[in-house]
Amino acid sequence: MVLHTLNQAPANAACMASALAAMTAQDTLLLIEDGVYWTLPTFASQLANIPGSVVALAPDLQARGLTSDAIESVDDAGFVALCVSHDKVVSWF
Amino acid sequence: MSTDGILVLTRSAPYGSSAARDALDVALTCSVFEQPVTLLFLDDGVFQLLKEQSPSAIAQKNLNAVQQSLPLYDIERLCVGRSSLEQRGLSGAELILPVELIDDADLPALLAQHRHVLSI
Amino acid sequence: MATENIAGQAIAFDDEGYLDDLSQWSPQVAEYLATQEGLRLTEAHWEILYLLRDFYSRYEHSPAMRPLVKAVKQSLGDDKGRSIYLMQLFPGSPAKVSARLAGLPKPDNCL
């Protein structure tokens, strides 16, 4: 079980493609920093069928004036809980 | 395969930032502390391994020089994303050291084989 | 930071005794640094110092202990490619001491 964090906006599609290639169905993808723009409906639809689950970091959403409907969000405590519940964390940036 | 050692994942081209150099330094340091190290080059990171680099005119150290010392640090396993190479029109023959080509489908297993993954 | 007159040349060293300008190295500089270290250089020392200089010209960095031992083993054989052998020649921290005497920068990855 791997927690993948990704902090790049959708313009950096290669970063997302690499992260997704490395994911399994047991893994979680956490969108942070500019990665939260992937929660915009036009991009979120591209994440609908990825292996594993996807969540976004709430403070980064709020900071950018985004509300995530399609993708679940977690607060900082939730981020920590994810780090603990996964074997390792892999950052994509 | 057992879960052991450190996977250093590097996805940046050399010289535009210090990332490539940093990844190499981290790998060497891990080796000095007797931690088994694997290097994984994905995306623009594969450019780090091109032969015939000669950065003296831009006042940088030649990555190829340090890369060739990796066997002396017992860092023998260099993995390269096959699709990253192919997308850039490159082949393993154009790289400075022998590498293990990794298919996208085998990436999760490679991550799982290592205790830690350091992205640099 | 100190400057010494060695064999008629002004040679500058940093606070830890490494050469400021690596191109100023000469066997006389090595002899001078060895004396500071309380060492008398023998043939056994010189073959390590020249091996280090070759390592640096090829790999562009000073080796930590582990690759130094391996490089010595490859070039000079199993008897010499051991930590204890290098400890005897360059007591204290062999990778640091030998790099300094060979006119190389301080090893980055040294314990």
Side-chain angles (χ1 to χ4, degrees), chain C residues 57-68:
Chain C
S57 71
R58 211 180 283 198
Y59 303 126
E60 297 188 12
H61 71 283
S62 302
M65 192 61 185
R66 185 175 179 184
L68 173 59

Side-chain angles (χ1 to χ4, degrees), chain B residues 10-58:
Chain B
T10 174
R11 299 177 46 249
S12 301
Y15 307 117
S17 73
S18 69
R21 179 79 210 182
D22 295 343
L24 211 43
D25 282 344
V26 165
L28 297 187
T29 305
C30 289
S31 154
V32 167
F33 283 90
E34 299 186 352
Q35 301 298 307
V37 182
T38 304
L39 277 161
L40 171 59
F41 300 85
L42 291 181
D43 300 319
D44 287 345
V46 303
F47 290 135
Q48 294 175 28
L49 292 170
L50 284 178
K51 291 176 191 170
E52 314 278 352
Q53 294 172 28
S54 184
S56 57
I58 57 170

Side-chain angles (χ1 to χ4, degrees), chain A:
Chain A
M1 285 222 312
V2 178
L3 175 65
H4 300 264
T5 67
L6 183 142
N7 77 343
Q8 294 289 301
N12 191 346
C15 188
M16 178 61 85
S18 294
L20 295 181
M23 276 186 75
T24 70
Q26 289 76 44
D27 293 354
T28 304
L29 174 65
L30 173 65
L31 304 169
I32 60 173
E33 301 168 17
D34 286 351
V36 299
Y37 288 109
W38 280 98
T39 63
L40 289 167
T42 185
F43 304 115
S45 59
Q46 298 172 39
L47 303 181
N49 296 314
I50 66 165
S53 48
V54 52
V55 293
L57 192 62
D60 284 329
L61 287 166
Q62 288 153 14
R64 290 162 179 78
L66 302 179
T67 52
S68 175
D69 297 325
I71 288 173
E72 184 195 336
S73 64
V74 295
D75 59 12
D76 286 332
F79 188 170
V80 174
L82 286 171
C83 292
V84 172
S85 62
H86 291 70
D87 299 329
K88 62 183 74 110
V89 181
V90 177
S91 319
W92 302 91
F93 51 84

Side-chain angles (χ1 to χ4, degrees), chain C residues 74-85:
Chain C
Q74 283 178 2
S75 298
L76 305 174
D78 289 350
D79 285 350
K80 295 178 177 177
R82 293 181 300 136
S83 306
I84 185 74
Y85 177 76

Side-chain angles (χ1 to χ4, degrees), chain B residues 25 28-29 31-34 61-62 65-66 68-69 71-74 76, chain C residues 55-56 58-64 66-67 70-71 74 108-111:
Chain B
D25 282 344
L28 297 187
T29 305
S31 154
V32 167
F33 283 90
E34 299 186 352
K61 285 219 163 199
N62 193 340
V66 182
Q68 284 175 297
S69 72
L72 289 171
Y73 287 80
D74 294 317
E76 311 272 6
Chain C
F55 184 105
Y56 187 79
R58 211 180 283 198
Y59 303 126
E60 297 188 12
H61 71 283
S62 302
R66 185 175 179 184
K70 199 160 175 179
Q74 283 178 2
D108 285 331
N109 294 305
C110 228
L111 302 184

Side-chain angles (χ1 to χ4, degrees), chain B residues 43-120:
Chain B
D43 300 319
D44 287 345
V46 303
F47 290 135
Q48 294 175 28
L49 292 170
L50 284 178
K51 291 176 191 170
E52 314 278 352
Q53 294 172 28
S54 184
S56 57
I58 57 170
Q60 298 217 39
K61 285 219 163 199
N62 193 340
L63 278 180
N64 284 163
V66 182
Q67 285 160 346
Q68 284 175 297
S69 72
L70 287 172
L72 289 171
Y73 287 80
D74 294 317
I75 301 174
E76 311 272 6
R77 192 167 184 211
L78 306 183
C79 298
V80 169
R82 186 191 299 275
S83 61
S84 300
L85 264 190
E86 286 171 356
Q87 283 161 12
R88 288 162 181 75
L90 301 172
S91 72
E94 289 164 276
L95 307 181
I96 181 89
L97 291 165
V99 300
E100 184 181 333
L101 294 181
I102 304 291
D103 290 315
D104 280 358
D106 296 325
L107 283 173
L110 187 62
L111 299 187
Q113 278 163 22
H114 294 82
R115 189 177 299 280
H116 299 289
V117 179
L118 280 177
S119 303
I120 298 161

